[in-house]
Amino acid sequence: MPGPQRGRPLVVHIGREELVVRRRYEALSIANDTLIALWFIAGSIMFFLPAWMTVGTWCFLLGSVELLIRPAIRLSRLVHVRNIRAAGGPSTAPAESSTDF
């Protein structure tokens, strides 16, 4: 079975529709940021109710762990880009910037 081809979009078929993810690292970063927001919103709401305070604290902890995952996603993207360039890949590799997800 051949390995994944670099630069090809990830295609997920859902019934008669298909979901195409073109820039995987950016999509992963957006999903991570969404989870961070959901954990902190849920934790904040739960803090209003004394019976839910412990669960709310766990939500804050999960949100904090997600914040730690964010730089790991950025680092893995940079390492991936470096590997493509080192292997003599296409010169159209995305440029790095300080605003990268």
Side-chain angles (χ1 to χ4, degrees), residues 46-70:
M46 290 177 191
F47 255 53
F48 287 119
L49 305 168
W52 286 89
M53 223 175 252
T54 301
V55 178
T57 303
W58 280 103
C59 286
F60 282 126
L61 179 62
L62 289 171
S64 298
V65 170
E66 291 286 330
L67 283 173
L68 184 61
I69 292 172
R70 175 189 277 180

PDB file of all heavy atoms in Angstrom, residues 46-70:
ATOM      1  N   MET A  46     -20.288  26.427  34.160  1.00  0.00           N
ATOM      2  CA  MET A  46     -20.392  25.498  35.290  1.00  0.00           C
ATOM      3  C   MET A  46     -19.971  26.138  36.607  1.00  0.00           C
ATOM      4  O   MET A  46     -20.427  25.716  37.671  1.00  0.00           O
ATOM      5  CB  MET A  46     -19.567  24.245  35.015  1.00  0.00           C
ATOM      6  CG  MET A  46     -20.151  23.378  33.939  1.00  0.00           C
ATOM      7  SD  MET A  46     -19.086  21.973  33.611  1.00  0.00           S
ATOM      8  CE  MET A  46     -19.832  21.344  32.130  1.00  0.00           C
ATOM      9  N   PHE A  47     -19.129  27.153  36.556  1.00  0.00           N
ATOM     10  CA  PHE A  47     -18.700  27.824  37.787  1.00  0.00           C
ATOM     11  C   PHE A  47     -19.836  28.621  38.438  1.00  0.00           C
ATOM     12  O   PHE A  47     -19.749  28.980  39.602  1.00  0.00           O
ATOM     13  CB  PHE A  47     -17.502  28.728  37.498  1.00  0.00           C
ATOM     14  CG  PHE A  47     -16.218  28.149  37.992  1.00  0.00           C
ATOM     15  CD1 PHE A  47     -15.824  26.866  37.652  1.00  0.00           C
ATOM     16  CD2 PHE A  47     -15.381  28.876  38.814  1.00  0.00           C
ATOM     17  CE1 PHE A  47     -14.650  26.326  38.106  1.00  0.00           C
ATOM     18  CE2 PHE A  47     -14.184  28.348  39.278  1.00  0.00           C
ATOM     19  CZ  PHE A  47     -13.822  27.066  38.918  1.00  0.00           C
ATOM     20  N   PHE A  48     -20.888  28.909  37.695  1.00  0.00           N
ATOM     21  CA  PHE A  48     -22.037  29.614  38.277  1.00  0.00           C
ATOM     22  C   PHE A  48     -22.859  28.709  39.188  1.00  0.00           C
ATOM     23  O   PHE A  48     -23.615  29.188  40.025  1.00  0.00           O
ATOM     24  CB  PHE A  48     -22.940  30.181  37.178  1.00  0.00           C
ATOM     25  CG  PHE A  48     -22.361  31.377  36.483  1.00  0.00           C
ATOM     26  CD1 PHE A  48     -22.107  31.349  35.128  1.00  0.00           C
ATOM     27  CD2 PHE A  48     -22.077  32.531  37.185  1.00  0.00           C
ATOM     28  CE1 PHE A  48     -21.588  32.453  34.477  1.00  0.00           C
ATOM     29  CE2 PHE A  48     -21.544  33.646  36.551  1.00  0.00           C
ATOM     30  CZ  PHE A  48     -21.303  33.601  35.183  1.00  0.00           C
ATOM     31  N   LEU A  49     -22.745  27.400  38.991  1.00  0.00           N
ATOM     32  CA  LEU A  49     -23.520  26.437  39.772  1.00  0.00           C
ATOM     33  C   LEU A  49     -22.585  25.675  40.713  1.00  0.00           C
ATOM     34  O   LEU A  49     -21.689  24.949  40.253  1.00  0.00           O
ATOM     35  CB  LEU A  49     -24.237  25.458  38.838  1.00  0.00           C
ATOM     36  CG  LEU A  49     -25.122  26.110  37.768  1.00  0.00           C
ATOM     37  CD1 LEU A  49     -25.528  25.082  36.737  1.00  0.00           C
ATOM     38  CD2 LEU A  49     -26.333  26.749  38.410  1.00  0.00           C
ATOM     39  N   PRO A  50     -22.775  25.811  42.032  1.00  0.00           N
ATOM     40  CA  PRO A  50     -21.855  25.158  42.978  1.00  0.00           C
ATOM     41  C   PRO A  50     -21.740  23.643  42.775  1.00  0.00           C
ATOM     42  O   PRO A  50     -20.661  23.072  42.945  1.00  0.00           O
ATOM     43  CB  PRO A  50     -22.472  25.477  44.339  1.00  0.00           C
ATOM     44  CG  PRO A  50     -23.275  26.710  44.119  1.00  0.00           C
ATOM     45  CD  PRO A  50     -23.769  26.626  42.704  1.00  0.00           C
ATOM     46  N   ALA A  51     -22.818  22.995  42.382  1.00  0.00           N
ATOM     47  CA  ALA A  51     -22.783  21.541  42.193  1.00  0.00           C
ATOM     48  C   ALA A  51     -21.901  21.141  40.995  1.00  0.00           C
ATOM     49  O   ALA A  51     -21.426  20.009  40.927  1.00  0.00           O
ATOM     50  CB  ALA A  51     -24.192  20.998  41.997  1.00  0.00           C
ATOM     51  N   TRP A  52     -21.684  22.048  40.065  1.00  0.00           N
ATOM     52  CA  TRP A  52     -20.912  21.758  38.856  1.00  0.00           C
ATOM     53  C   TRP A  52     -19.499  22.331  38.897  1.00  0.00           C
ATOM     54  O   TRP A  52     -18.761  22.250  37.916  1.00  0.00           O
ATOM     55  CB  TRP A  52     -21.645  22.320  37.633  1.00  0.00           C
ATOM     56  CG  TRP A  52     -22.845  21.517  37.257  1.00  0.00           C
ATOM     57  CD1 TRP A  52     -24.114  21.686  37.713  1.00  0.00           C
ATOM     58  CD2 TRP A  52     -22.872  20.410  36.372  1.00  0.00           C
ATOM     59  NE1 TRP A  52     -24.940  20.751  37.159  1.00  0.00           N
ATOM     60  CE2 TRP A  52     -24.200  19.950  36.328  1.00  0.00           C
ATOM     61  CE3 TRP A  52     -21.909  19.756  35.608  1.00  0.00           C
ATOM     62  CZ2 TRP A  52     -24.578  18.867  35.547  1.00  0.00           C
ATOM     63  CZ3 TRP A  52     -22.294  18.690  34.830  1.00  0.00           C
ATOM     64  CH2 TRP A  52     -23.619  18.255  34.813  1.00  0.00           C
ATOM     65  N   MET A  53     -19.096  22.910  40.019  1.00  0.00           N
ATOM     66  CA  MET A  53     -17.803  23.585  40.089  1.00  0.00           C
ATOM     67  C   MET A  53     -16.626  22.643  39.820  1.00  0.00           C
ATOM     68  O   MET A  53     -15.667  23.015  39.140  1.00  0.00           O
ATOM     69  CB  MET A  53     -17.639  24.268  41.444  1.00  0.00           C
ATOM     70  CG  MET A  53     -17.054  25.639  41.317  1.00  0.00           C
ATOM     71  SD  MET A  53     -16.990  26.472  42.885  1.00  0.00           S
ATOM     72  CE  MET A  53     -18.288  27.662  42.622  1.00  0.00           C
ATOM     73  N   THR A  54     -16.687  21.423  40.312  1.00  0.00           N
ATOM     74  CA  THR A  54     -15.593  20.472  40.083  1.00  0.00           C
ATOM     75  C   THR A  54     -15.479  20.126  38.603  1.00  0.00           C
ATOM     76  O   THR A  54     -14.376  20.106  38.032  1.00  0.00           O
ATOM     77  CB  THR A  54     -15.798  19.190  40.912  1.00  0.00           C
ATOM     78  OG1 THR A  54     -15.866  19.555  42.293  1.00  0.00           O
ATOM     79  CG2 THR A  54     -14.669  18.204  40.699  1.00  0.00           C
ATOM     80  N   VAL A  55     -16.607  19.885  37.954  1.00  0.00           N
ATOM     81  CA  VAL A  55     -16.594  19.581  36.518  1.00  0.00           C
ATOM     82  C   VAL A  55     -16.081  20.794  35.744  1.00  0.00           C
ATOM     83  O   VAL A  55     -15.317  20.662  34.777  1.00  0.00           O
ATOM     84  CB  VAL A  55     -18.002  19.162  36.031  1.00  0.00           C
ATOM     85  CG1 VAL A  55     -18.005  18.898  34.539  1.00  0.00           C
ATOM     86  CG2 VAL A  55     -18.477  17.931  36.782  1.00  0.00           C
ATOM     87  N   GLY A  56     -16.486  21.992  36.173  1.00  0.00           N
ATOM     88  CA  GLY A  56     -16.006  23.210  35.537  1.00  0.00           C
ATOM     89  C   GLY A  56     -14.500  23.358  35.653  1.00  0.00           C
ATOM     90  O   GLY A  56     -13.830  23.789  34.703  1.00  0.00           O
ATOM     91  N   THR A  57     -13.961  22.978  36.807  1.00  0.00           N
ATOM     92  CA  THR A  57     -12.510  23.025  36.993  1.00  0.00           C
ATOM     93  C   THR A  57     -11.811  22.080  36.018  1.00  0.00           C
ATOM     94  O   THR A  57     -10.770  22.417  35.440  1.00  0.00           O
ATOM     95  CB  THR A  57     -12.152  22.657  38.447  1.00  0.00           C
ATOM     96  OG1 THR A  57     -12.825  23.557  39.326  1.00  0.00           O
ATOM     97  CG2 THR A  57     -10.658  22.716  38.685  1.00  0.00           C
ATOM     98  N   TRP A  58     -12.381  20.898  35.808  1.00  0.00           N
ATOM     99  CA  TRP A  58     -11.808  19.953  34.841  1.00  0.00           C
ATOM    100  C   TRP A  58     -11.873  20.510  33.420  1.00  0.00           C
ATOM    101  O   TRP A  58     -10.958  20.290  32.619  1.00  0.00           O
ATOM    102  CB  TRP A  58     -12.507  18.593  34.931  1.00  0.00           C
ATOM    103  CG  TRP A  58     -11.996  17.782  36.079  1.00  0.00           C
ATOM    104  CD1 TRP A  58     -12.600  17.579  37.285  1.00  0.00           C
ATOM    105  CD2 TRP A  58     -10.742  17.097  36.141  1.00  0.00           C
ATOM    106  NE1 TRP A  58     -11.802  16.808  38.096  1.00  0.00           N
ATOM    107  CE2 TRP A  58     -10.657  16.498  37.418  1.00  0.00           C
ATOM    108  CE3 TRP A  58      -9.688  16.930  35.258  1.00  0.00           C
ATOM    109  CZ2 TRP A  58      -9.555  15.743  37.816  1.00  0.00           C
ATOM    110  CZ3 TRP A  58      -8.591  16.179  35.665  1.00  0.00           C
ATOM    111  CH2 TRP A  58      -8.534  15.602  36.926  1.00  0.00           C
ATOM    112  N   CYS A  59     -12.949  21.236  33.114  1.00  0.00           N
ATOM    113  CA  CYS A  59     -13.043  21.859  31.787  1.00  0.00           C
ATOM    114  C   CYS A  59     -11.934  22.892  31.598  1.00  0.00           C
ATOM    115  O   CYS A  59     -11.328  22.977  30.526  1.00  0.00           O
ATOM    116  CB  CYS A  59     -14.410  22.511  31.588  1.00  0.00           C
ATOM    117  SG  CYS A  59     -15.744  21.334  31.321  1.00  0.00           S
ATOM    118  N   PHE A  60     -11.659  23.683  32.655  1.00  0.00           N
ATOM    119  CA  PHE A  60     -10.563  24.635  32.577  1.00  0.00           C
ATOM    120  C   PHE A  60      -9.231  23.921  32.388  1.00  0.00           C
ATOM    121  O   PHE A  60      -8.368  24.382  31.626  1.00  0.00           O
ATOM    122  CB  PHE A  60     -10.510  25.519  33.828  1.00  0.00           C
ATOM    123  CG  PHE A  60     -11.540  26.609  33.834  1.00  0.00           C
ATOM    124  CD1 PHE A  60     -12.409  26.737  34.901  1.00  0.00           C
ATOM    125  CD2 PHE A  60     -11.644  27.511  32.793  1.00  0.00           C
ATOM    126  CE1 PHE A  60     -13.353  27.738  34.928  1.00  0.00           C
ATOM    127  CE2 PHE A  60     -12.582  28.524  32.806  1.00  0.00           C
ATOM    128  CZ  PHE A  60     -13.445  28.641  33.875  1.00  0.00           C
ATOM    129  N   LEU A  61      -9.045  22.819  33.063  1.00  0.00           N
ATOM    130  CA  LEU A  61      -7.806  22.061  32.910  1.00  0.00           C
ATOM    131  C   LEU A  61      -7.672  21.528  31.477  1.00  0.00           C
ATOM    132  O   LEU A  61      -6.592  21.615  30.871  1.00  0.00           O
ATOM    133  CB  LEU A  61      -7.752  20.899  33.909  1.00  0.00           C
ATOM    134  CG  LEU A  61      -6.503  20.028  33.826  1.00  0.00           C
ATOM    135  CD1 LEU A  61      -5.251  20.841  34.128  1.00  0.00           C
ATOM    136  CD2 LEU A  61      -6.612  18.848  34.761  1.00  0.00           C
ATOM    137  N   LEU A  62      -8.753  21.000  30.920  1.00  0.00           N
ATOM    138  CA  LEU A  62      -8.713  20.505  29.536  1.00  0.00           C
ATOM    139  C   LEU A  62      -8.415  21.641  28.557  1.00  0.00           C
ATOM    140  O   LEU A  62      -7.656  21.465  27.596  1.00  0.00           O
ATOM    141  CB  LEU A  62     -10.030  19.815  29.175  1.00  0.00           C
ATOM    142  CG  LEU A  62     -10.260  18.477  29.854  1.00  0.00           C
ATOM    143  CD1 LEU A  62     -11.680  17.986  29.594  1.00  0.00           C
ATOM    144  CD2 LEU A  62      -9.250  17.457  29.375  1.00  0.00           C
ATOM    145  N   GLY A  63      -9.011  22.814  28.799  1.00  0.00           N
ATOM    146  CA  GLY A  63      -8.718  23.970  27.951  1.00  0.00           C
ATOM    147  C   GLY A  63      -7.250  24.361  28.026  1.00  0.00           C
ATOM    148  O   GLY A  63      -6.638  24.716  27.011  1.00  0.00           O
ATOM    149  N   SER A  64      -6.671  24.274  29.216  1.00  0.00           N
ATOM    150  CA  SER A  64      -5.251  24.592  29.382  1.00  0.00           C
ATOM    151  C   SER A  64      -4.367  23.588  28.654  1.00  0.00           C
ATOM    152  O   SER A  64      -3.349  23.955  28.050  1.00  0.00           O
ATOM    153  CB  SER A  64      -4.891  24.619  30.866  1.00  0.00           C
ATOM    154  OG  SER A  64      -5.629  25.625  31.520  1.00  0.00           O
ATOM    155  N   VAL A  65      -4.738  22.319  28.678  1.00  0.00           N
ATOM    156  CA  VAL A  65      -3.994  21.296  27.937  1.00  0.00           C
ATOM    157  C   VAL A  65      -4.084  21.574  26.443  1.00  0.00           C
ATOM    158  O   VAL A  65      -3.095  21.453  25.709  1.00  0.00           O
ATOM    159  CB  VAL A  65      -4.505  19.879  28.284  1.00  0.00           C
ATOM    160  CG1 VAL A  65      -3.919  18.839  27.352  1.00  0.00           C
ATOM    161  CG2 VAL A  65      -4.183  19.546  29.731  1.00  0.00           C
ATOM    162  N   GLU A  66      -5.261  21.974  25.975  1.00  0.00           N
ATOM    163  CA  GLU A  66      -5.428  22.327  24.559  1.00  0.00           C
ATOM    164  C   GLU A  66      -4.528  23.505  24.188  1.00  0.00           C
ATOM    165  O   GLU A  66      -4.007  23.560  23.077  1.00  0.00           O
ATOM    166  CB  GLU A  66      -6.878  22.676  24.256  1.00  0.00           C
ATOM    167  CG  GLU A  66      -7.833  21.506  24.314  1.00  0.00           C
ATOM    168  CD  GLU A  66      -7.707  20.568  23.138  1.00  0.00           C
ATOM    169  OE1 GLU A  66      -7.355  21.005  22.027  1.00  0.00           O
ATOM    170  OE2 GLU A  66      -7.971  19.371  23.343  1.00  0.00           O
ATOM    171  N   LEU A  67      -4.359  24.455  25.113  1.00  0.00           N
ATOM    172  CA  LEU A  67      -3.450  25.576  24.843  1.00  0.00           C
ATOM    173  C   LEU A  67      -2.015  25.086  24.679  1.00  0.00           C
ATOM    174  O   LEU A  67      -1.236  25.655  23.915  1.00  0.00           O
ATOM    175  CB  LEU A  67      -3.522  26.612  25.969  1.00  0.00           C
ATOM    176  CG  LEU A  67      -4.741  27.521  25.959  1.00  0.00           C
ATOM    177  CD1 LEU A  67      -4.783  28.372  27.220  1.00  0.00           C
ATOM    178  CD2 LEU A  67      -4.742  28.409  24.720  1.00  0.00           C
ATOM    179  N   LEU A  68      -1.655  24.026  25.364  1.00  0.00           N
ATOM    180  CA  LEU A  68      -0.330  23.439  25.223  1.00  0.00           C
ATOM    181  C   LEU A  68      -0.189  22.714  23.881  1.00  0.00           C
ATOM    182  O   LEU A  68       0.899  22.664  23.304  1.00  0.00           O
ATOM    183  CB  LEU A  68      -0.065  22.465  26.378  1.00  0.00           C
ATOM    184  CG  LEU A  68       1.305  21.820  26.443  1.00  0.00           C
ATOM    185  CD1 LEU A  68       2.384  22.888  26.603  1.00  0.00           C
ATOM    186  CD2 LEU A  68       1.358  20.834  27.596  1.00  0.00           C
ATOM    187  N   ILE A  69      -1.281  22.182  23.369  1.00  0.00           N
ATOM    188  CA  ILE A  69      -1.247  21.470  22.091  1.00  0.00           C
ATOM    189  C   ILE A  69      -1.021  22.436  20.928  1.00  0.00           C
ATOM    190  O   ILE A  69      -0.420  22.083  19.917  1.00  0.00           O
ATOM    191  CB  ILE A  69      -2.547  20.651  21.907  1.00  0.00           C
ATOM    192  CG1 ILE A  69      -2.577  19.505  22.914  1.00  0.00           C
ATOM    193  CG2 ILE A  69      -2.688  20.124  20.493  1.00  0.00           C
ATOM    194  CD1 ILE A  69      -3.885  18.753  22.948  1.00  0.00           C
ATOM    195  N   ARG A  70      -1.484  23.679  21.068  1.00  0.00           N
ATOM    196  CA  ARG A  70      -1.361  24.672  19.994  1.00  0.00           C
ATOM    197  C   ARG A  70       0.077  24.817  19.492  1.00  0.00           C
ATOM    198  O   ARG A  70       0.323  24.705  18.274  1.00  0.00           O
ATOM    199  CB  ARG A  70      -1.920  26.007  20.449  1.00  0.00           C
ATOM    200  CG  ARG A  70      -1.720  27.108  19.426  1.00  0.00           C
ATOM    201  CD  ARG A  70      -2.075  28.443  19.990  1.00  0.00           C
ATOM    202  NE  ARG A  70      -3.497  28.663  19.895  1.00  0.00           N
ATOM    203  CZ  ARG A  70      -4.091  29.748  20.322  1.00  0.00           C
ATOM    204  NH1 ARG A  70      -3.393  30.695  20.898  1.00  0.00           N
ATOM    205  NH2 ARG A  70      -5.381  29.898  20.190  1.00  0.00           N
TER     206      ARG A  70
END
